[in-house]
Amino acid sequence: YILHEGPRIVTHHIPTTLITVANPLLFYGVSTKITPQNENLAVELRLAAGALIAVVARVYPKAMTSQWGYLLPDHAVTVQRPFSPTLFTALLYDPLPSVRLMACLAVHCLLEDSRGYLSQADDNQAVIASYTPLSTQLGCMIHEMYTGLNQVIAKEQDVPTLTMALKVFGILTVNTPHFKLSVSQHPLSLLATLQPLLQPTQDRNVVGAAISVVAAAAAVPKQMPGLQEFLCNNQGQILLGNLNTLLAQNTHCTVSAE
């Protein structure tokens, strides 16, 4: 019913309807108190809301761009109880790994094939005003998403969620207009701390996703500022040494093209 009206697919009503239904449900139990009696319902609602956002974002990506301001943070990403929760609120603070994973998947679906849309971003600082230009809002979103993902990757203990967060970081990195924005410090900071995730004893999926982050950084159009210098310094050489060690192992890691 949300996606179809008779034989004709209605796309212009989908985002508004989706946000109206899914956004409050996704944070039910994160920003509000729940009782044991409705705890199971709260979990089911959050999972369903995250899945709905992910599906519609993948099927109707252009229709969903108008809703990024409701779903992705443009300020205060690490605040646990923000006035306007986003997918990152659930990704950072939901107590259940399954819900955090679903929120992460939804972010991944939103960022797929987003290079053209994100290319509008600029580095102007947002100011308190009645109107914020889209380019400024997108620039703030990119900064906040990098900050949130760095925190998720640093603290997440659930392997599937950590794996998906690394994939999201990779897809954000390759779609970010680094030649326009001063955000390269975020992926370079993560590359400098990836060594523990590139060990042969790590979960194979985590290792593969971590390698994908390195590949995404190398695949940035017009080259990521500071990447060559990073690879030549001590931290970069350690990272390359870890990759060489992995190649020498008998264990084969599957590296996703995502």
Side-chain angles (χ1 to χ4, degrees):
Y1 271 168
I2 292 177
L3 303 183
H4 296 273
E5 187 177 280
R8 184 167 58 90
I9 297 178
V10 180
T11 59
H12 56 283
H13 293 309
I14 288 173
T16 302
T17 305
L18 173 66
I19 297 305
T20 302
V21 174
N23 211 39
L25 298 180
L26 185 61
F27 312 109
Y28 180 58
V30 178
S31 57
T32 60
K33 292 183 179 180
I34 59 176
T35 62
Q37 288 76 14
N38 61 7
E39 184 174 358
N40 290 337
L41 175 61
V43 173
E44 292 176 4
L45 289 176
R46 300 206 303 278
L47 287 172
L52 180 60
I53 293 171
V55 168
V56 178
R58 180 161 285 174
V59 177
Y60 302 103
K62 291 183 178 179
M64 285 297 290
T65 54
S66 62
Q67 302 302 313
W68 276 32
Y70 296 98
L71 296 171
L72 299 174
D74 58 12
H75 67 284
V77 66
T78 57
V79 174
Q80 187 167 357
R81 296 181 183 273
F83 180 75
S84 300
T86 67
L87 288 168
F88 275 75
T89 310
L91 176 55
L92 281 163
Y93 299 115
D94 197 282
L96 290 182
S98 58
V99 178
R100 297 198 301 272
L101 176 61
M102 188 59 68
C104 202
L105 176 61
V107 175
H108 191 281
C109 292
L110 286 169
L111 292 176
E112 288 176 357
D113 301 319
S114 61
R115 182 178 297 173
Y117 189 58
L118 290 178
S119 66
Q120 303 173 76
D122 64 35
D123 249 344
N124 293 332
Q125 294 295 316
V127 296
I128 299 176
S130 58
Y131 171 72
T132 301
L134 175 62
S135 58
T136 300
Q137 186 180 25
L138 287 175
C140 292
M141 282 183 183
I142 291 172
H143 279 280
E144 293 298 313
M145 284 192 286
Y146 273 125
T147 300
L149 286 169
N150 267 317
Q151 183 164 324
V152 171
I153 293 169
K155 73 173 189 177
E156 183 59 63
Q157 298 298 312
D158 179 64
V159 168
T161 305
L162 175 58
T163 301
M164 182 56 67
L166 287 164
K167 290 182 178 181
V168 172
F169 198 102
I171 199 171
L172 177 61
T173 298
V174 81
N175 286 325
T176 294
H178 290 274
F179 61 94
K180 294 173 61 180
L181 301 178
S182 56
V183 295
S184 298
Q185 71 274 14
H186 295 294
L188 292 178
S189 174
L190 180 63
L191 291 180
T193 59
L194 272 182
Q195 286 83 359
L197 303 182
L198 290 172
Q199 302 301 320
T201 54
Q202 267 285 359
D203 181 89
R204 292 174 58 184
N205 293 316
V206 171
V207 174
I211 293 175
S212 294
V213 172
V214 181
V220 168
K222 300 185 180 180
Q223 193 178 84
M224 180 187 297
L227 179 60
Q228 183 173 344
E229 292 79 2
F230 169 79
L231 293 176
C232 292
N233 69 22
N234 185 53
Q235 290 178 320
Q237 291 298 303
I238 293 174
L239 176 66
L240 294 176
N242 286 340
L243 293 175
N244 285 330
T245 300
L246 287 171
L247 288 173
Q249 299 295 317
N250 293 325
T251 305
H252 301 287
C253 298
T254 302
V255 181
S256 170
E258 297 174 348

